[in-house]
């Protein structure tokens, strides 16, 4: 049986990866706080030694002020003119354009705090990148997807509608919010464009290629032809429309709305096909006088055309983990560390405490009404603190917020939180989650999951932009590779495991997700980003960021789709190594071309 990609059971002990990331998070936070204490705005007097200027460094306050005023007038691109880390530190601290719209000034940390030890800055940024990717995926799996599933049940959406809307949103949330953040907050839309296209390319080429190679030749497993052709054609049409927008170089409000509306045409098409084929099956079953029982009905649901589910886990493994996982962990600790059961129990409690830094802030602000994860204290506290977090996010998105306005916002949010918290305490029980009026709880969980996903995506994009400046790499390249790979790693693991272990149903669901997911990310992620930006420029048009490499990305991506569209029907809808190696070859050629241009081997 397949369930959406999230925890199937309540976790009783922290994983090694979680402990490592939480420990890294504590180290990074401690380091960041120490750097804030050590460096005040006027605590350090730095000297400038630009490589292009042999004059002596300014010695007087007046000359230093003139130099700072001249620095503040140009862009952050002049950072490379200085070789001394002290000069670069003063440059990034005095230059407004070097301060990106994240919550942490990464350039200041790298050039000021880690100035003498750049290797330390590299390690810190690598650890923080891993933590942010973990938070992004973990928030989607543990909070975002359960809320979407609950809303799907409450709204009584059909499996097809839920699959191509809510569940696709759960899968594509990191890409969608990374795209929106890059357009609206950092002002560098290239990151959003390349991250979405890079993710679509990776999933439709690498993931499908690995699935095809992993299929055994003796397995007579085929994919559904109508749904496969439908998904690939819609993705090709979406990319073709995007190519036209990029070629024109600008887009107005109505054009961006029309581009995003293609997704609703896709949803309607999937629904019509679902009902049409379901009616055909029902007529066939009626003519042969077959009566379906509940088990076969569940099987038919899994065979619906184009349901891009989020993945699944094996139920037997879930039960094994639930019943014996804690005991096995204790046995392992006792044998490996030669400790008694009491000591192992204390050690497990210590590990659970170490797991709290990354989990606690979200547990205190995202309401959860899941049967296995229900906790009335956490539910009440999350409802109380959620408005305050929303107020903080609202204030952070506005420029030049006055103290009075900010205070009023926080006081209002705090008052609303107290009212909601008391209401939640009165209407809930300690033993069981609420059974009635679930929609407000699920909607609140969805809203706060979106809030956390947006916050994490905003920080992730800001980090990538800063890393691009430090290593002199275009942020679009980082979005196309690092951001796209990080957001698509979960799709790779879930879809490959589903296809290999799930039989014919697993292969169908995995392949549907590999094409329906990119359709959603392209039309909703980029579509909403273009709508927001064109709305802010209305009645003028929004200028698309000029990046000639977008033509290469779109060309290779569409080539991979055309390859699959030709080969799969030729192979009678079977996935084989010929398809897989072809897709991997196309992706490898694309990466080689981009790497050659990055290293200067080819002229850009």
């Amino acid at each position: 049986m397949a369930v959406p990609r999230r925890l199937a059971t309540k976790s009783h002990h922290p994983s090694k990866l979680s402990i490592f990331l939480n420990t890294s998070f504590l180290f990074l936070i401690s380091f960041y706080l120490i750097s804030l204490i050590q460096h005040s705005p006027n605590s350090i007097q730095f000297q400038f030694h630009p490589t292009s200027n042999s004059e002596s460094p300014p010695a007087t306050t007046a000359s230093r002020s003139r130099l700072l005023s001249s620095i503040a007038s140009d862009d952050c691109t002049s950072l490379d003119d200085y070789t001394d880390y002290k000069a670069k530190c003063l440059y990034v601290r005095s230059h407004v354009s070097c301060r990106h719209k994240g919550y942490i000034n990464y350039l200041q940390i790298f050039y000021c705090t880690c100035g003498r030890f750049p290797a330390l800055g590299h390690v810190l940024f690598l650890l923080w990148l891993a933590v942010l990717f973990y938070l992004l995926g973990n928030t989607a799996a543990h909070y975002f997807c359960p809320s979407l599933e609950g809303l799907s049940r409450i709204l009584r959406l059909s499996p097809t509608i839920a699959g191509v809307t809510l569940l696709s949103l759960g899968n594509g949330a990191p890409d969608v919010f990374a795209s929106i953040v890059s357009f609206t907050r950092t002002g560098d839309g290239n990151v959003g464009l390349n991250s979405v296209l890079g993710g679509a390319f990776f999933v439709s080429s690498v993931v499908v290629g690995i699935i095809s190679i992993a299929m055994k030749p003796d397995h007579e497993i085929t994919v559904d032809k109508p749904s496969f052709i439908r998904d690939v054609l819609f993705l090709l049409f979406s990319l073709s429309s995007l190519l036209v927008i990029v070629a024109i170089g600008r887009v107005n409000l109505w054009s961006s709305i029309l581009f995003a509306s293609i997704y609703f045409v896709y949803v309607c098409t999937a629904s019509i096909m679902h009902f049409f084929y379901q009616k055909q099956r029902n007529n066939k079953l009626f003519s042969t006088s077959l009566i379906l029982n509940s088990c076969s009905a569940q099987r038919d649901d899994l065979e619906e055309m184009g349901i891009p589910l989020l993945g699944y886990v094996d139920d037997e493994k879930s039960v094994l983990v639930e019943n014996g996982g804690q005991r096995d962990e204790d046995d392992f600790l006792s044998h490996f560390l030669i400790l008694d059961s009491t000591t192992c129990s204390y050690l497990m409690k210590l590990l659970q405490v170490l797991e709290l830094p990354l989990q606690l802030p979200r547990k205190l602000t995202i309401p959860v009404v899941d049967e296995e994860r229900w906790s009335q204290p956490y539910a009440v506290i999350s409802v109380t603190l959620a408005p305050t977090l929303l107020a903080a996010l609202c204030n952070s998105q506005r420029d030049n917020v006055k103290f009075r306005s900010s205070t009023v916002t926080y006081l209002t949010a705090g008052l609303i939180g107290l009212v909601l918290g008391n209401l939640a305490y009165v209407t809930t029980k300690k033993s069981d989650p609420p059974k009635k009026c679930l929609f407000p709880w699920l909607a609140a969980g969805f809203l706060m999951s979106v809030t956390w996903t947006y916050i994490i995506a905003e920080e992730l994009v800001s980090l990538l932009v800063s890393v691009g400046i430090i290593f002199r790499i275009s942020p679009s390249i980082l979005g196309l590779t690092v951001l796209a790979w990080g957001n698509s790693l979960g799709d790779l693991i879930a879809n490959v495991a589903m296809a290999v272990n799930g039989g014919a149903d697993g292969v169908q669901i995995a392949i549907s997700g590999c094409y329906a997911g990119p359709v959603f990310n392209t039309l909703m992620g980029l579509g909403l980003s273009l709508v927001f930006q064109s709305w802010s420029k209305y009645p003028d048009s929004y200028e698309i960021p000029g990046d000639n490499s977008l033509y290469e990305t779109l060309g290779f991506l569409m080539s991979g789709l055309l390859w699959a569209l030709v080969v799969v029907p030729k192979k009678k809808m079977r996935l084989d190594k010929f398809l897989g190696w072809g897709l991997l070859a196309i992706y490898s050629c694309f990466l080689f071309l981009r790497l050659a241009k990055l290293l200067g081997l080819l002229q850009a």
Side-chain angles (χ1 to χ4, degrees):
M1 180 180 176
V3 297
R5 187 179 65 195
R6 62 183 181 91
L7 285 182
T9 58
K10 189 176 182 178
S11 178
H12 294 280
H13 58 273
S15 64
K16 296 178 182 178
L17 176 61
S18 178
I19 293 298
F20 171 75
L21 292 175
N22 278 273
T23 305
S24 302
F25 176 72
L26 289 176
F27 169 73
L28 293 171
I29 289 297
S30 301
F31 185 88
Y32 177 64
L33 294 177
I34 292 174
S35 67
L36 288 180
I37 295 175
Q38 288 180 345
H39 298 287
S40 59
N42 299 315
S43 61
I44 303 178
Q45 301 292 330
F46 291 133
Q47 305 274 333
F48 273 79
H49 303 284
T51 56
S52 60
N53 190 356
S54 59
E55 296 181 1
S56 60
T60 64
T61 303
S63 60
R64 180 176 179 272
S65 300
R66 287 195 300 271
L67 182 57
L68 290 178
S69 63
S70 64
I71 292 172
S73 62
D74 57 12
D75 295 330
C76 196
T77 54
S78 301
L79 179 64
D80 293 335
D81 294 341
Y82 304 94
T83 57
D84 184 61
Y85 78 91
K86 292 184 179 180
K88 290 186 177 183
C89 175
L90 182 57
Y91 187 92
V92 299
R93 293 178 65 182
S94 59
H95 203 294
V96 178
S97 298
C98 292
R99 178 68 170 92
H100 300 290
K101 293 187 177 180
Y103 301 95
I104 300 175
N105 193 334
Y106 295 104
L107 294 179
Q108 181 174 326
I109 290 178
F110 185 82
Y111 290 114
C112 299
T113 307
C114 305
R116 294 183 179 180
F117 310 100
L120 176 60
H122 299 159
V123 173
L124 293 176
F125 285 3
L126 183 62
L127 286 176
W128 186 233
L129 183 67
V131 170
L132 289 176
F133 273 127
Y134 168 79
L135 285 175
L136 203 60
N138 187 263
T139 302
H142 285 70
Y143 298 98
F144 199 74
C145 292
S147 299
L148 290 177
E149 294 166 25
L151 288 174
S152 177
R153 290 192 299 268
I154 293 295
L155 298 176
R156 297 182 179 181
L157 299 179
S158 68
T160 300
I161 299 297
V164 297
T165 54
L166 295 182
L167 297 184
S168 291
L169 176 59
N171 237 358
D175 297 287
V176 171
F177 285 104
S179 173
I180 294 175
V181 166
S182 68
F183 274 91
T184 59
R185 292 291 292 165
T186 66
D188 192 349
N190 280 329
V191 177
L193 280 168
N194 283 277
S195 65
V196 171
L197 295 178
F201 198 4
F202 183 86
V203 172
S204 62
S205 296
V206 176
V207 178
V208 175
I210 293 176
I211 291 175
S212 302
I213 295 173
M215 291 291 98
K216 296 181 180 180
D218 56 341
H219 285 187
E220 298 295 328
I221 297 177
T222 62
V223 297
D224 183 73
K225 186 175 182 178
S227 61
F228 175 81
I229 294 177
R230 178 201 67 211
D231 293 340
V232 175
L233 288 180
F234 262 98
L235 183 53
L236 279 171
F237 180 70
S238 304
L239 296 174
S240 301
S241 302
L242 181 62
L243 180 61
V244 172
I245 294 175
V246 173
I248 295 175
R250 59 179 60 244
V251 60
N252 57 32
L253 178 61
W254 301 112
S255 299
S256 59
I257 293 176
L258 183 62
F259 176 72
S261 300
I262 298 175
Y263 187 73
F264 296 98
V265 178
Y266 170 70
V267 173
C268 294
T269 304
S271 303
I272 293 172
M273 291 180 63
H274 162 64
F275 291 121
F276 176 76
Y277 284 104
Q278 188 179 42
K279 184 177 180 180
Q280 279 192 341
R281 288 197 303 267
N282 292 338
N283 292 337
K284 183 177 179 180
L285 293 175
F286 178 78
S287 63
T288 56
S289 301
L290 294 177
I291 301 176
L292 297 178
N293 56 26
S294 59
C295 294
S296 61
Q298 292 179 6
R299 180 176 179 84
D300 288 339
D301 287 339
L302 287 175
E303 293 175 346
E304 291 174 355
M305 276 61 68
I307 303 179
L309 298 180
L310 298 179
Y312 79 100
V313 294
D314 188 31
D315 289 341
E316 295 181 359
K317 294 180 181 179
S318 306
V319 174
L320 179 63
V321 171
E322 182 179 13
N323 294 334
Q326 180 67 34
R327 184 185 63 186
D328 293 341
E329 187 76 11
D330 290 342
D331 291 343
F332 169 78
L333 289 173
S334 61
H335 287 293
F336 184 76
L337 300 177
I338 316 178
L339 301 173
D340 55 27
S341 59
T342 304
T343 307
C344 287
S345 178
Y346 284 120
L347 183 57
M348 286 304 302
K349 291 180 179 178
L350 175 61
L351 294 179
Q352 290 175 353
V353 170
L354 289 177
E355 196 185 25
L356 288 178
L358 292 178
Q359 300 292 339
L360 193 59
R362 291 175 294 164
K363 292 179 69 174
L364 294 178
T365 51
I366 303 178
V368 176
V369 290
D370 187 83
E371 187 74 29
E372 297 174 348
R373 300 164 59 195
W374 169 252
S375 172
Q376 189 192 37
Y378 276 120
V380 174
I381 294 174
S382 63
V383 171
T384 304
L385 296 181
T388 303
L389 179 61
L390 291 175
L393 179 62
C394 179
N395 285 332
S396 68
Q397 303 300 304
R398 298 184 295 171
D399 297 328
N400 300 323
V401 182
K402 296 182 179 180
F403 176 78
R404 181 177 179 179
S405 176
S406 175
T407 303
V408 171
T409 303
Y410 281 117
L411 290 177
T412 304
L415 180 61
I416 295 174
L418 289 175
V419 173
L420 294 178
N422 282 280
L423 185 61
Y425 179 79
V426 173
T427 57
T428 57
K429 300 178 182 179
K430 292 183 178 180
S431 57
D432 300 312
K435 303 297 183 182
K436 298 180 180 180
C437 299
L438 282 178
F439 183 79
W441 285 95
L442 294 172
F446 171 79
L447 175 62
M448 297 312 299
S449 300
V450 169
T451 300
W452 271 102
T453 304
Y454 183 87
I455 293 173
I456 299 168
E458 184 177 26
E459 201 60 36
L460 181 59
V461 172
S462 177
L463 173 61
L464 289 179
V465 172
S466 300
V467 169
I469 294 176
I470 293 172
F471 290 98
R472 302 176 185 177
I473 301 175
S474 172
S476 62
I477 298 294
L478 296 176
L480 185 65
T481 54
V482 177
L483 186 57
W485 294 342
N487 289 338
S488 303
L489 185 60
D491 297 292
L492 173 64
I493 296 173
N495 289 337
V496 172
M498 186 189 316
V500 173
N501 301 320
D505 295 334
V507 173
Q508 178 63 48
I509 295 173
I511 294 299
S512 296
C514 288
Y515 292 108
V519 171
F520 178 87
N521 295 344
T522 302
L523 295 175
M524 288 288 97
L526 295 180
L528 292 178
S529 301
L530 294 176
V531 169
F532 291 152
Q533 287 300 92
S534 58
W535 175 268
S536 64
K537 302 292 184 179
Y538 187 80
D540 296 329
S541 299
Y542 170 68
E543 294 187 4
I544 304 298
D547 188 357
N548 293 329
S549 62
L550 287 175
Y551 296 106
E552 297 175 3
T553 305
L554 287 168
F556 276 97
L557 174 54
M558 296 173 72
S559 299
L561 295 174
L562 291 173
W563 172 262
L565 191 61
V566 172
V567 172
V568 175
K570 286 286 186 181
K571 296 291 184 178
K572 298 180 180 180
M573 305 310 298
R574 292 187 179 91
L575 307 178
D576 60 1
K577 291 181 172 58
F578 183 70
L579 169 67
W581 287 116
L583 291 174
L584 293 181
I586 293 174
Y587 192 79
S588 299
C589 291
F590 168 74
L591 285 184
F592 175 78
L593 181 62
R594 296 306 298 266
L595 182 62
K597 290 186 176 182
L598 180 63
L599 297 178
L601 302 178
L602 294 176
Q603 186 176 1

